[in-house]
Amino acid sequence: MRRRSPRRFLGVLAAVTVAFTLFSSASTAGATQTATTTAASTPRAADAAAQPLSTSTPVVFVHGYTGNASNWATAMSVFQLNGWSSSKLFAYEYNSYGNNVTNAQGLASFVNNVKSRTGAGKVAIVNHSMGGLVSQYYLKVLGGNTSVSHLASIAGANHGTTFAGACLVYTTCQQMYPGSSFISQITAGDETPGDTKYATWYSACDGVILPYTSTRLNGATNNNVVCQTHIGYLADTIVLGQIARFIAS
């Protein structure tokens, strides 16, 4: 077998380092906000702002690979500015290195607890990156769509990403790679089951979800953002405001 050159080995090592950096939840506060364009079916911001908003639905935020609840600090602030009480905003945390089936089962329990705590019949889910896989498995395979009014996927790895090739030592990354049995399970047939309203936000500037169109879901309102990075979404108050209005619709 041909030996790899030192230069090629260093290149591979660098790619792995970049992958973990991009997936990481580290520092989102300095991300640059970017102007966005949305699908024609999405109301303009001015029109949406003029409409009465329904903010009684609890919202469950689901982070991405190596993320945690702190990823959603800006999002929660935006939702509160749009009328939500802090008592209706929840962040689900899971094991990024374990198994997304287990993570989805944990999400099911978390949603049930939120419903019991708030007295709500349904919740809304906002996910980012690998959180898309956790959410889709919950809604589709575990039947969670009956408990979810709205699903907003921000740069979700809904059809996988080749960037996961940098961390295939972990089960979650194996499941996140395009063509995995996990991906096949959540994309077969109806990708947007039940009465849940689905929407996605994706961008050619993402850099981590490859191809970037992987986020799109058949049957959802798929919003094409002009240019936003994968981590930048977490501090993009324009996109987060659109998501708040989508859930309030």
Side-chain angles (χ1 to χ4, degrees):
M1 181 173 64
R2 186 178 63 183
R3 298 180 61 186
R4 294 181 178 177
S5 68
R7 178 177 298 176
R8 184 174 180 182
F9 174 79
L10 290 174
V12 172
L13 182 60
V16 171
T17 302
V18 170
F20 273 91
T21 300
L22 287 170
F23 274 116
S24 174
S25 62
S27 183
T28 61
T32 303
Q33 296 178 18
T34 342
T36 61
T37 58
T38 61
S41 59
T42 302
R44 289 181 300 129
D47 294 337
Q51 298 173 358
L53 301 180
S54 175
T55 59
S56 60
T57 301
V59 181
V60 174
F61 296 91
V62 185
H63 65 76
Y65 181 71
T66 74
N68 55 53
S70 68
N71 289 171
W72 301 110
T74 300
M76 289 187 176
S77 295
V78 170
F79 271 71
Q80 289 182 64
L81 287 173
N82 277 273
W84 266 267
S85 165
S86 61
S87 63
K88 293 292 182 70
L89 303 175
F90 303 86
Y92 170 60
E93 292 190 331
Y94 61 88
N95 180 8
S96 291
Y97 312 107
N99 188 313
N100 281 323
V101 173
T102 302
N103 294 335
Q105 293 168 342
L107 177 58
S109 296
F110 189 86
V111 167
N112 287 338
N113 288 337
V114 168
K115 289 168 58 180
S116 176
R117 179 174 172 178
T118 61
K122 293 186 176 183
V123 306
I125 288 180
V126 179
N127 66 59
H128 177 246
S129 194
M130 194 173 75
L133 301 188
V134 177
S135 302
Q136 287 300 106
Y137 194 93
Y138 164 56
L139 265 73
K140 181 169 183 175
V141 181
L142 302 182
N145 63 84
T146 59
S147 292
V148 179
S149 63
H150 296 73
L151 186 285
S153 186
I154 310 172
N158 299 322
H159 293 89
T161 172
T162 57
F163 233 103
C167 55
L168 291 178
V169 65
Y170 300 115
T171 299
T172 48
C173 289
Q174 295 169 18
Q175 294 170 330
M176 190 162 41
Y177 199 82
S180 70
S181 59
F182 186 95
I183 296 291
S184 297
Q185 193 171 9
I186 65 174
T187 58
D190 188 359
E191 294 185 350
T192 53
D195 296 328
T196 304
K197 295 181 180 179
Y198 296 79
T200 73
W201 280 258
Y202 67 103
S203 175
C205 298
D206 187 294
V208 170
I209 301 302
L210 302 173
Y212 72 94
T213 52
S214 171
T215 297
R216 294 172 58 96
L217 292 170
N218 292 330
T221 299
N222 296 299
N223 301 289
N224 184 16
V225 180
V226 173
C227 191
Q228 183 55 281
T229 64
H230 192 67
I231 298 300
Y233 278 112
L234 298 175
D236 190 330
T237 57
I238 295 175
V239 168
L240 294 171
Q242 291 171 357
I243 292 169
R245 289 188 290 275
F246 161 69
I247 292 175
S249 64

